[in-house]
Amino acid sequence: MPVKAGLISHSFLVYVPVPFYILMMKRDLQTSVPIARGAVSNSVGRFEHVSRHAEADGWDVDEPLPILRTEVSIERPRSAITYNTSPDLPFDRSINPYRGCEHGCVYCFARPSHAYLGLSPGLDFETRLVARPEMPEVLRAELGRKAYKVAPIAIGTNTDPYQPIERDHGIMRACLEVLEACGHPVAIVTKGALIERDLDILSRMALRGLVRVGISVTTLDAKLCRSMEPRTPSPNRRLQMIRNLSQAGIPVRIMASPMVPALTDPELEAILAAGKDAGARTASWIMLRLPREVSPLWQEWLAQTYPDRAGRIMSRLREMHGGKDYDARWDHRMRGEGVYAEMIAHRFAIALKRLGLKSEAPAMRTDLFQAPRAPSAQLSLF
């Protein structure tokens, strides 16, 4: 099998016919921290009884860092659909084809979920991934239950369904095939350009009012993006994704999320305008969230990358959360409160009105749903 190689920023990614990717990393001579990953440490999760710390061996020798591999494990899910009763979410059910995410966004609020696996929400979250290839079959079975009541399923609300390993496993595409066959509505959130592979399915579902897609654009600054979201497509590439999806007739939302005070929030209007120019019909924003282990990981990254404004950024965030790094109360966690949060919300509302964007998309259809047939040992006569 031929080996394909491609250059990604300062990293060299080699695709080989084994179930993991090998990243040949270089050392950042100023920080001695591996690049092309989001987290700068691999601290244990909150359920572990011991901790681990990296310590210098005392020798002042500039040694290359070891190769950091992305390993993929296989899991058979007992269920496909996860239900929630959160009053501040626009959906009550979701599916997650993968655990962990190689995109490596340092701020990702899903990182703490890796602690339930006994893994670190830091580098483990980006490098020790779990694929669930039987998800489509389990999903089909759940949709076929007599008690199932149809409502839009959200995908990408935890980890990205179009992260790089989807290219090999194809779980997201297989799930879409199940949903399309059943006439089931789906809302997708992603940063991954691999979504363009599925334009055929998505465009057919869009014609029936069964799909909408949200593309997250955190910044238009390619350098900041590469540091904060190291393995995601560039901002320009994501705008091209919006353009391609829109031209295929798929309703797209530009998501200016998360907004980072004193870092990315000055770009809010420019992000929305770029999304509108690319074909987005609706828009949304969410303030940076730092639940559980995400806060120390984020602060480590800030101290290394933006030491001159780390204090200001954290001060703004605490100002919006009553002095805490994060407040998980319903209807508060996504926006925060106080003068700064109100200012961002006001700017967003003005930009929406000026650009002609909507904050709400039309409801997707649920009347087309047909439960999949259960497999039968008897042959069909037709």
Side-chain angles (χ1 to χ4, degrees):
M1 181 180 295
V3 177
K4 298 181 290 184
L7 188 64
I8 299 183
S9 185
H10 301 291
S11 309
F12 189 67
L13 187 65
V14 181
Y15 295 93
V16 294
V18 292
F20 53 76
Y21 296 100
I22 300 177
L23 177 69
M24 305 298 294
M25 294 187 304
K26 297 179 180 178
R27 177 187 289 267
D28 183 324
L29 297 178
Q30 292 183 332
T31 63
S32 297
V33 172
I35 58 177
R37 296 292 183 182
V40 298
S41 70
N42 206 33
S43 300
V44 299
R46 59 192 179 280
F47 302 114
E48 305 306 309
H49 299 295
V50 297
S51 62
R52 54 176 178 258
H53 304 276
E55 295 289 345
D57 59 8
W59 294 92
D60 188 17
V61 178
D62 185 22
E63 298 175 299
L65 291 169
I67 295 172
L68 187 60
R69 295 177 173 86
T70 298
E71 302 174 0
V72 181
S73 302
I74 301 300
E75 172 189 270
R76 187 189 189 283
R78 288 177 292 181
S79 63
I81 304 175
T82 300
Y83 292 89
N84 76 83
T85 57
S86 303
D88 57 352
L89 292 179
F91 58 89
D92 71 348
R93 64 200 68 185
S94 60
I95 61 177
N96 294 290
Y98 302 100
R99 298 182 188 271
C101 187
E102 196 176 5
H103 280 161
C105 302
V106 66
Y107 54 74
C108 182
F109 65 84
R111 285 181 177 274
S113 64
H114 239 45
Y116 291 108
L117 305 179
L119 299 173
S120 169
L123 288 170
D124 282 351
F125 179 79
E126 309 169 38
T127 61
R128 300 181 67 179
L129 312 180
V130 178
R132 311 165 91 184
E134 295 184 46
M135 177 73 77
E137 289 75 18
V138 178
L139 174 62
R140 183 182 290 108
E142 291 184 15
L143 296 180
R145 292 174 182 168
K146 291 183 179 179
Y148 182 76
K149 303 295 183 182
V150 63
I153 286 179
I155 310 180
T157 57
N158 194 48
T159 59
D160 201 313
Y162 286 109
Q163 59 180 287
I165 59 172
E166 165 65 14
R167 183 176 290 106
D168 293 331
H169 293 272
I171 303 171
M172 177 60 177
R173 183 174 177 88
C175 288
L176 286 179
E177 290 171 344
V178 171
L179 295 172
E180 181 189 19
C182 297
H184 197 294
V186 59
I188 302 168
V189 175
T190 185
K191 297 184 181 80
L194 193 57
I195 192 174
E196 295 173 349
R197 177 202 62 189
D198 296 338
L199 282 177
D200 54 340
I201 299 177
L202 296 173
S203 59
R204 292 194 301 265
M205 294 184 75
L207 285 173
R208 303 167 67 194
L210 293 175
V211 67
R212 58 176 178 242
V213 175
I215 303 296
S216 173
V217 179
T218 309
T219 176
L220 298 177
D221 183 331
K223 183 178 179 181
L224 172 56
C225 173
R226 183 57 60 207
S227 174
M228 190 165 59
E229 308 163 327
R231 296 198 174 186
T232 60
S234 69
N236 284 339
R237 184 66 182 88
R238 283 184 238 177
L239 293 173
Q240 186 61 47
M241 289 160 52
I242 294 175
R243 189 170 292 107
N244 293 340
L245 288 163
S246 180
Q247 289 174 353
I250 300 160
V252 185
R253 174 184 297 270
I254 175 73
M255 304 174 68
S257 304
M259 281 283 99
V260 183
L263 186 61
T264 67
D265 74 280
E267 299 184 70
L268 175 59
E269 290 83 358
I271 292 171
L272 297 177
K276 172 63 185 300
D277 290 344
R281 304 180 190 178
T282 55
S284 62
W285 74 280
I286 294 175
M287 190 64 73
L288 176 66
R289 298 166 56 189
L290 300 177
R292 300 187 182 276
E293 292 93 342
V294 182
S295 182
L297 288 168
W298 169 257
Q299 292 186 64
E300 285 176 351
W301 178 85
L302 270 184
Q304 173 189 294
T305 314
Y306 290 99
D308 58 326
R309 65 180 85 180
R312 181 183 176 193
I313 292 171
M314 291 307 302
S315 177
R316 289 297 190 192
L317 288 169
R318 290 167 183 144
E319 175 186 317
M320 289 184 280
H321 294 295
K324 298 183 291 185
D325 292 352
Y326 179 63
D327 186 341
R329 285 178 294 152
W330 306 132
D331 299 316
H332 173 90
R333 55 183 180 161
M334 307 289 189
R335 300 281 192 270
E337 61 187 8
V339 174
Y340 201 85
E342 291 173 1
M343 179 188 68
I344 299 295
H346 186 60
R347 287 171 53 197
F348 176 79
I350 292 175
L352 241 61
K353 185 175 181 180
R354 176 172 54 82
L355 295 169
L357 288 166
K358 304 293 184 182
S359 59
E360 299 294 334
M364 290 183 285
R365 297 185 65 176
T366 57
D367 59 310
L368 300 178
F369 176 70
Q370 293 184 333
R373 294 181 180 180
S376 173
Q378 182 176 349
L379 295 175
S380 172
L381 296 177
F382 304 98

